[in-house]
Amino acid sequence: MTRSRLFEIIYILLEKKKVTAPELAERFEVSVRTIYRDIDALSSAGIPVYCTQGKGGGIGLLEDFVMDKSVLTEEEQNQILLSLQCMAVTNHMNAEKLLSRLSSLFQKDDENWVYVDFSRWNPGGEKELFEKLKEAILNREVVIFDYYNAKGEHSRREAEPMQLYFRGMDWYLAAFCKKSREIRIFKLKRLKNLEKTEERFLRKDIRDMKTMPLLEEKNDMEVSVKVEKSLGFRVYDEFDPDWIREQEGFFYITFPCSGEEWLYGWLLSFGPGLEVLGPKEVRSEMKCRLRRMAGRYEENI
């Protein structure tokens, strides 16, 4: 909090030129003594801040002070602006406003050299879901929702939402599940009928919960497939280049995975252009599923 307050004090002084210690104390809800300690800290860090007494006095900065030369390096400025650009894409509160302010402050006219868009081509109600979860996280509101896991099993969950993050082309929610009494990872695409409740919870430190390892799949097998050249666009989109071998007009791919339900639906999505070579149990399961699918069409003819 102290670092954030010091940074904002500098911005206030740059914007207003001069302000009193009681005004800053009221704004940050701290004592006047704390504000003076902050001013001493800024002065020790090389920021040319000064105090004047009497009528019209207050705290100010020397007129020739330029923030980008005294506080942040060129690389740090660019990193901050890029981070804010990414936050603006997710409709983060005040991100665009803050981006505009800092761009002017750093004297950057056109730093939008990269654009990040996390939205889908056909987002449906995903944006509304994202916004509701964001509000629930910031307001510490317990939520209730329907969830369908990788096996297609349905459950009604009550959870304390803690973090939204993007990984591997999908958004995920890290939340404390009240049923299992532990942190769980939920894929947003499988989360339905979200409701916010009036119950509040105490924020836990997500950084100490090591949520990312929970997302790792149990890669307990290796699957080998043969894919037609016409599906090259999907091969290079969805497989690690190190797994791919081109031979005799086909792609031969061996990749680690788990034998969960999603695997078969994903493999079938390649249509007749993909053949599973092994292991034997995966190839056998694919044959059974294809027979069942063909049988349904034969019954309706």
Side-chain angles (χ1 to χ4, degrees):
M1 177 60 192
T2 301
R3 289 184 180 179
S4 176
R5 187 171 66 241
L6 292 176
F7 184 86
E8 192 164 350
I9 286 174
I10 295 173
Y11 178 78
I12 291 171
L13 294 177
L14 284 165
E15 186 178 43
K16 294 188 175 181
K17 306 302 181 185
K18 188 176 290 185
V19 66
T20 67
E23 287 174 337
L24 290 173
E26 182 179 357
R27 179 186 179 97
F28 295 109
E29 298 180 350
V30 296
S31 67
V32 171
R33 179 176 294 181
T34 296
I35 293 298
Y36 280 123
R37 281 201 297 265
D38 289 343
I39 299 305
D40 287 339
L42 290 173
S43 181
S44 299
I47 308 299
V49 60
Y50 66 90
C51 298
T52 56
Q53 302 294 324
K55 187 176 180 180
I59 302 167
L61 288 168
L62 295 180
E63 290 186 5
D64 59 352
F65 170 70
V66 180
M67 184 176 177
D68 62 349
K69 293 181 181 178
S70 303
V71 178
L72 300 169
T73 66
E74 184 79 14
E75 182 180 356
E76 288 171 334
Q77 293 171 44
N78 290 333
Q79 288 175 348
I80 290 172
L81 293 176
L82 175 58
S83 297
L84 287 171
Q85 288 165 13
C86 294
M87 291 167 66
V89 172
T90 65
N91 295 319
H92 190 280
M93 288 193 309
N94 298 324
E96 290 187 3
K97 185 177 181 180
L98 183 56
L99 178 60
S100 177
R101 284 182 173 183
L102 289 183
S103 294
S104 299
L105 192 61
F106 296 155
Q107 300 173 359
K108 307 285 187 182
D109 295 329
D110 186 12
E111 291 298 325
N112 194 14
W113 62 275
V114 63
Y115 181 72
V116 181
D117 190 347
F118 292 118
S119 63
R120 302 181 187 282
W121 292 111
N122 298 297
E126 192 172 86
K127 183 176 180 181
E128 181 182 351
L129 174 63
F130 189 96
E131 284 297 309
K132 288 178 71 173
L133 281 171
K134 182 184 75 174
E135 291 172 5
I137 291 170
L138 296 177
N139 296 329
R140 295 165 173 74
E141 298 170 316
V142 173
V143 295
I144 302 173
F145 54 87
D146 292 316
Y147 192 71
Y148 298 82
N149 65 18
K151 297 181 180 179
E153 299 168 340
H154 167 262
S155 61
R156 187 72 172 163
R157 304 294 184 106
E158 185 177 8
E160 300 172 2
M162 308 178 71
Q163 186 182 74
L164 285 165
Y165 61 88
F166 187 85
R167 181 183 179 187
M169 301 174 67
D170 278 299
W171 280 102
Y172 295 87
L173 168 70
F176 181 79
C177 179
K178 300 186 79 171
K179 181 179 180 180
S180 63
R181 306 299 301 171
E182 63 181 1
I183 299 296
R184 290 292 178 89
I185 303 299
F186 302 98
K187 201 170 190 175
L188 256 59
K189 288 193 296 188
R190 301 178 189 154
L191 196 152
K192 309 295 179 185
N193 304 318
L194 176 74
E195 297 177 17
K196 294 193 293 181
T197 72
E198 295 182 359
E199 183 181 351
R200 298 292 191 272
F201 64 92
L202 293 176
R203 173 76 176 180
K204 300 177 179 66
D205 191 348
I206 197 72
R207 292 170 298 179
D208 295 334
M209 295 180 177
K210 299 181 180 178
T211 61
M212 294 306 287
L214 297 176
L215 194 57
E216 299 291 344
E217 295 175 357
K218 299 175 182 178
N219 295 326
D220 51 9
M221 70 166 68
E222 282 194 340
V223 174
S224 296
V225 297
K226 175 182 176 182
V227 185
E228 294 180 358
K229 279 283 190 176
S230 60
L231 290 171
F233 67 100
R234 286 198 61 181
V235 167
Y236 289 113
D237 276 351
E238 302 177 40
F239 293 97
D240 190 306
D242 293 337
W243 303 337
I244 304 168
R245 178 171 54 90
E246 295 185 45
Q247 185 178 336
E248 299 175 350
F250 290 92
F251 295 105
Y252 289 85
I253 309 162
T254 299
F255 59 96
C257 71
S258 62
E260 296 181 3
E261 180 65 26
W262 67 265
L263 172 65
Y264 299 100
W266 177 60
L267 292 173
L268 287 168
S269 72
F270 284 82
L274 179 145
E275 177 187 356
V276 174
L277 303 178
K280 187 181 296 184
E281 60 267 26
V282 176
R283 183 178 173 89
S284 177
E285 179 64 22
M286 287 287 287
K287 288 165 69 175
C288 290
R289 292 180 183 232
L290 287 167
R291 286 192 186 118
R292 289 201 300 270
M293 290 170 65
R296 289 182 178 178
Y297 287 96
E298 288 173 0
E299 291 172 3
N300 294 327
I301 293 176

